[in-house]
């Protein structure tokens, strides 16, 4: 099986946000889609290692901010490359507002947001698949939604000349570099929490 095929699946990119006991947190997801209408229902898959996942399981609510093509890499570093367990990702970040459900959404580099209430969850192994009802959907501006493909080709930075000298393995998801000849089979990326199968040897 060629795992690279998984990268050929078309996805969007979103900031998923949740609130628990007065604490706001969010992470980047690519798996979000509508699955029913009247009423609108959606699903999203969230890595169990993400604190946002735990917060949604406890609170039963989340917002999805739909990023547009103006998003820059700093947004992905903020929401995708650190953990909300030890970092307040919204600290010193003023591009947010609160929706009717009291949760945060991203008000810049997004074209809309969707508020959701969890109906059920399925344990997929590495991820939890949440099925949810849409409680609100708000258009912010009519801009092009960001695709995963656009992100890979236009936003994610290439490796610096310093990094190109290193020997090791690179995470195809986030670009983290593991230095060393052999990558342990049970290795988990410390940044994005993907496993060894998502790493490839540096040339
Ligand atoms: Fe990674």
């Amino acid at each position: 099986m060629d795992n690279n095929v998984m990268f050929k699946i078309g996805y969007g990119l979103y900031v998923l946000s949740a609130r628990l006991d007065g604490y706001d947190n969010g992470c980047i997801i690519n798996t979000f889609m509508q699955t029913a209408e009247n009423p609108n229902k959606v699903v999203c898959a969230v890595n169990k290692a993400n604190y946002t996942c735990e917060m949604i399981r406890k609170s039963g609510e989340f917002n999805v901010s739909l990023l547009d093509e103006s998003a820059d890499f700093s947004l992905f570093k903020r929401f995708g490359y650190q953990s909300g367990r030890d970092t307040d990702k919204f600290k010193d970040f003023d591009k947010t507002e609160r929706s009717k459900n009291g949760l945060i959404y991203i008000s810049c580099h997004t074209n809309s947001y969707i508020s959701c209430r969890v109906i059920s969850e399925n344990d997929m192994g590495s991820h939890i698949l949440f099925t949810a009802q849409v409680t609100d959907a708000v258009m912010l501006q009519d801009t092009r939604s960001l695709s995963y493909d656009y992100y890979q080709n236009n936003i994610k930075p290439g490796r610096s000349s310093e990094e190109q000298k290193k020997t090791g393995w690179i995470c195809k998801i986030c670009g983290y570099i593991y230095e060393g000849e052999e990558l342990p089979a049970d290795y988990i990326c410390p940044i994005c929490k993907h496993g060894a199968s998502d790493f490839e040897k540096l040339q």
Side-chain angles (χ1 to χ4, degrees):
M1 183 162 67
D2 184 353
N3 276 325
N4 287 317
V5 174
M6 298 301 153
F7 293 101
K8 295 295 185 191
I9 299 175
Y11 293 108
L13 280 169
Y14 315 93
V15 173
L16 174 72
S17 52
R19 181 173 171 85
L20 182 69
D21 300 331
Y23 182 66
D24 294 293
N25 188 32
C27 65
I28 302 285
I29 57 165
N30 61 345
T31 42
F32 176 64
M33 64 184 288
Q34 182 181 5
T35 53
E37 58 185 0
N38 298 321
N40 289 329
K41 287 178 189 162
V42 292
V43 293
C44 73
V46 192
N47 195 310
K48 286 181 188 170
N50 287 328
Y51 186 43
T52 310
C53 184
E54 190 179 320
M55 291 171 70
I56 293 171
R57 295 182 87 173
K58 287 178 178 162
S59 69
E61 287 198 295
F62 61 86
N63 278 352
V64 177
S65 300
L66 283 68
L67 296 172
D68 70 18
E69 292 182 352
S70 73
D72 54 37
F73 189 63
S74 66
L75 197 68
F76 294 90
K77 271 169 78 176
R78 174 179 289 274
F79 291 104
Y81 284 35
Q82 51 186 357
S83 172
R85 285 181 211 281
D86 39 54
T87 305
D88 181 353
K89 298 185 187 181
F90 288 106
K91 189 166 182 270
D92 303 324
F93 185 72
D94 57 6
K95 297 164 185 164
T96 61
E97 302 278 349
R98 281 195 194 278
S99 50
K100 286 181 200 154
N101 60 3
L103 275 62
I104 274 180
Y105 65 88
I106 311 297
S107 56
C108 197
H109 308 303
T110 54
N111 57 26
S112 51
Y113 71 86
I114 298 174
S115 296
C116 307
R117 185 173 299 130
V118 175
I119 298 169
S120 64
E121 59 173 66
N122 283 283
D123 191 331
M124 309 299 288
S126 60
H127 289 56
I128 296 291
L129 183 71
F130 293 104
T131 298
Q133 183 158 334
V134 174
T135 57
D136 200 8
V138 177
M139 187 77 75
L140 301 172
Q141 52 181 339
D142 188 17
T143 51
R144 288 173 65 100
S145 293
L146 177 63
S147 70
Y148 188 69
D149 185 69
Y150 186 91
Y151 167 78
Q152 289 287 351
N153 291 300
N154 299 284
I155 296 177
K156 189 169 144 184
R159 287 164 58 206
S160 66
S161 55
E162 199 54 41
E163 286 174 338
Q164 284 174 20
K165 291 181 202 148
K166 291 181 182 173
T167 56
W169 298 73
I170 186 165
C171 173
K172 289 185 286 187
I173 307 296
C174 73
Y176 175 81
I177 292 174
Y178 172 90
E179 290 185 67
E181 269 306 305
E182 292 300 322
L183 183 73
D186 60 351
Y187 191 71
I188 303 286
C189 176
I191 305 296
C192 71
K193 316 300 181 194
H194 282 251
S197 64
D198 287 320
F199 279 74
E200 67 184 6
K201 189 120 175 60
L202 291 173
Q203 301 298 324

